Amino acid sequence: MKTKKLTNKERAALAVAALKAEYPGAVCSLVYEKPHELLIATRLSAQCTDARVNMVTPALFERYKTPYDFANADVSEVEEYIKSCGLYKTKARDIVEMNKRICEVFKGNVPDNMEDLTSLAGVGRKTANLILGDVFKKPAVVVDTHCIRITSRLGFHNIKDAVKIEKILREALDPNESNDFCHRLVLHGRAVCTARSPKCRECCMREFCEYARSDKKGYA
């Protein structure tokens, strides 16, 4: 008997419940205390592990304590602190420039809306959504590589366009659950639904995941 195809809203509700049970503590893996610190840490995390970023940021945030400190920093000195994160020259420049704008335009405060956040150097929708969700507690959908991969396998979409995926997920998810859902996808993507060898038999979502239930990738 053929199983009824789920709507995205139905799939989202099942996924939220399964991930919540599997990973009850849903927190950002980047360590920070102040809004501008999360902004900087997220910029550093591009093509770099969160673990590495968390090793680098304590000394960086000790040296530069406020957005004004970063805005007045020498780019070459910032480079020395973040060299091990990769792409450090571009990241250092962006960090200084984003903080200059925060100080000059937003009076030293990290803005609380998508338009203003994405006006900052090096900040795209993924970073902006993380700030909106974690700092300002607004409904947000962080579409990173884990999110793209896992939601595609689940059957939400078959595309790679992050903006379109964000729209699809916003329409499907309960806004009160979207932030934690994205954090849990990261945890699940690292532990189970990896890029190269997903552990479908161990997955808490295998019963309704199109990838796991396909003939080719069946888990039974």
Side-chain angles (χ1 to χ4, degrees):
M1 184 174 173
K2 192 173 181 180
T3 305
K4 173 182 172 289
K5 186 173 176 63
L6 295 171
T7 66
N8 274 350
K9 280 188 177 293
E10 291 170 335
R11 183 178 288 108
L14 290 169
V16 165
L19 291 172
K20 188 181 289 189
E22 192 77 5
Y23 311 97
V27 295
C28 179
S29 54
L30 293 168
V31 177
Y32 70 98
E33 293 181 359
K34 304 168 186 175
H36 76 277
E37 292 180 352
L38 179 57
L39 191 63
I40 291 166
T42 307
R43 182 66 189 95
L44 291 175
S45 70
Q47 298 184 41
C48 178
T49 66
D50 289 353
R52 168 58 60 183
V53 173
N54 290 337
M55 292 172 64
V56 166
T57 51
L60 181 68
F61 296 154
E62 178 63 28
R63 173 66 178 89
Y64 308 103
K65 293 182 170 63
T66 70
Y68 290 95
D69 292 337
F70 277 105
N72 293 313
D74 183 284
V75 173
S76 62
E77 185 179 340
V78 175
E79 289 176 3
E80 291 303 312
Y81 280 91
I82 67 171
K83 262 188 175 179
S84 64
C85 287
L87 303 174
Y88 67 95
K89 288 186 177 292
T90 300
K91 291 177 180 179
R93 185 187 67 231
D94 285 348
I95 287 169
V96 172
E97 289 302 316
M98 72 167 64
N99 281 284
K100 281 182 179 178
R101 184 167 175 80
I102 286 171
C103 295
E104 292 169 0
V105 179
F106 304 111
K107 300 180 180 178
N109 298 308
V110 174
D112 65 354
N113 63 85
M114 179 65 70
E115 183 178 359
D116 288 341
L117 281 166
T118 53
S119 75
L120 303 175
V123 177
R125 290 189 67 87
K126 181 180 77 171
T127 298
N129 271 305
L130 182 63
I131 299 298
L132 292 174
D134 277 45
V135 174
F136 298 107
K137 309 306 178 186
K138 296 183 177 183
V141 177
V142 179
V143 182
D144 62 2
T145 55
H146 295 293
C147 178
I148 293 171
R149 179 177 71 255
I150 297 172
T151 55
S152 174
R153 287 174 176 171
L154 284 169
F156 283 97
H157 60 83
N158 59 0
I159 57 178
K160 299 290 186 183
D161 187 310
V163 175
K164 291 180 180 178
I165 292 170
E166 180 188 333
K167 183 175 185 295
I168 289 168
L169 295 178
R170 280 186 183 276
E171 291 173 352
L173 288 162
D174 177 343
N176 295 319
E177 299 286 355
S178 60
N179 299 341
D180 289 346
F181 175 75
C182 293
H183 285 317
R184 291 181 174 117
L185 286 181
V186 173
L187 298 175
H188 194 63
R190 290 172 178 166
V192 179
C193 195
T194 57
R196 293 186 178 180
S197 54
K199 305 175 183 70
C200 294
R201 295 185 184 187
E202 301 174 18
C203 182
C204 60
M205 298 186 286
R206 65 184 181 274
E207 295 292 344
F208 54 87
C209 174
E210 290 190 2
Y211 182 90
R213 295 184 63 82
S214 67
D215 292 338
K216 187 178 180 181
K217 301 292 181 182
Y219 63 91

